[in-house]
Amino acid sequence: MESYYVTTPIYYVNDEPHLGHIYTTIAADVLARYQRQCGKDVFFLTGVDEHGQKVQQAAEAREIEPIELADQVVARYESLWPEFSISNDDFIRTSSERHKAGVQGMWRKLENAGTIYKDFYEDWYCVPCESYWTETQLKDAGRWEDKSCPDCKRAVEKIQEESYFFRLSAFQDRLVEHIKANPDFIQPTSRRNEVLSFVEGGLRDLSVSRTTFSWGVPVPGDEKHVIYVWIDALTNYISALGFPDKDINKHWPADVQLIGKDILRFHAVYWAAMLMAAELPLPKRIYAHGWWTVEGEKMSKSLGNALRPADLLKEYDADVLRYFLLREVPFGQDGDFSFTALKQRYNSELANDVGNLLNRSLAMLNKYSDGVLGEVNEEQDMDRALIADIEGMQMDVAQALDRQAFHLALERISVVVRHGNRYVEDNAPWALAKAGDDKRLATVLYHLVETLRLVAMQLTPFMPTKMSAMLSQIHGEEVNAEEMTAALHGGWGLLQAGHQCSRPQPIFPRMD
């Protein structure tokens, strides 16, 4: 069976889950669900990053141990993900013994490759970003006067300590060559160009251990040093697969690693170089998505507009939020979360289009033939055109999701739904019933129900709960869309004459 491996970044435990976290995780979940429907052996990984100085500081501020803080935040994630129908196969914690073994295994690989050496580090460090900066870099970015981080604009601090270093500079040419030879390795293209420019500008060796705090994975054989949190965190993608003790080739390299644009450099440069040094394959694609604002303003606690997932779920169905987040903005671009836009898109595309097609089709089937599908008789051009549109949709959705173009996949499905509603008007089943044209009526109603089934299958990865309800009405019995096989995901004509459908029940009532 062909495998498919998708990952989210592991989320910091120094803060609660927010909109950005659910955005990345929902995107990964859609990819995982779609590939499962296609019959692949899917491994979907998410988790939390528990180590590092900023986590230790956040715990100290609360007067608790770091592991206590981590346990509290992990509990929130583990309760939140089922509410959003997240179907992850694993949840990795960097405090777990299996992960520590993976990190120390990676360290030994880097050490054995001759890419680790000990020296003395003296420069600037951003605790929130866990990133190092030289005086020159701060000056070039215009951040020298206030000694602030070029990325997050918060204060950097001077670090002076003995440190192990990773020979990142030795991989500059190989990284440039790989990025140029593999255009899909970093997406979207704007981010690829950004990374390429950064690498071509010159790479410095990377300080990869700390001695000023203890919350992390010790360096093997030198336990006064803690392994740099990014070496630690990035290894999660293979420690979850059993590295270094198990064969990871079944799922590694990852098909796609989804991340926020703020951590692109760590993945596309540090992670890639680490894998090269360890003689492990690089992921097939690293995809960096954009950030969300709320009603045109940057999310912040001070403004009180930081959207908490739990609050959103009090007002909106999880499937509707899943749909909106991936429909509203091209993945990779920044987007604005507008409640007005959410309601407009819901009413126009889900209530008016999908819901209307479902309700009117099943209502007419029950009215004119007691909910039972009849024989398909001679097909007309408009019937064949509808089938061709659906078959085209299936191919187009597959291609769109293969490049993480979620909004295009949903737009293509919407095209078929609108086609289905036009098909109703063009064929006027009520007029066929009045004229006694039972053969044509049966053919039209069959085409409508089969269209609904295939639309629902394409929408299932995006809205698993809503589509389970929709498919249950079409199949006349309770259906769990998550458990549907690849065969049920297939082409036109699965439903047979004599099949009994249920009466319609509103799935997408209009939103005021």
Side-chain angles (χ1 to χ4, degrees), residues 60 67 119 218 294 297 326 331:
E60 289 171 352
I67 191 63
D119 205 335
V294 177
E297 293 186 315
L326 295 180
F331 200 68

Side-chain angles (χ1 to χ4, degrees), residues 7 29 33 43 77 82 114-115 130 217 239 267 323 383 454 479 497:
T7 70
D29 184 68
R33 287 177 180 276
F43 193 80
Y77 278 108
T115 59
E130 308 279 13
V217 179
S239 68
H267 285 77
Y323 180 91
D383 306 326
L454 291 169
V479 169

Side-chain angles (χ1 to χ4, degrees), residues 365 373-377 379 386-387 423 440-453 492-499:
L365 182 69
L373 290 178
E375 294 282 352
V376 174
N377 296 283
E379 286 186 331
L386 180 61
I387 296 171
Y423 180 86
R440 181 60 191 159
L441 178 62
T443 298
V444 169
L445 292 175
Y446 179 91
H447 281 69
L448 286 172
V449 175
E450 188 67 341
T451 295
L452 286 165
R453 181 183 71 83
W492 183 272
L494 179 79
L495 299 178
Q496 301 295 313
H499 174 81

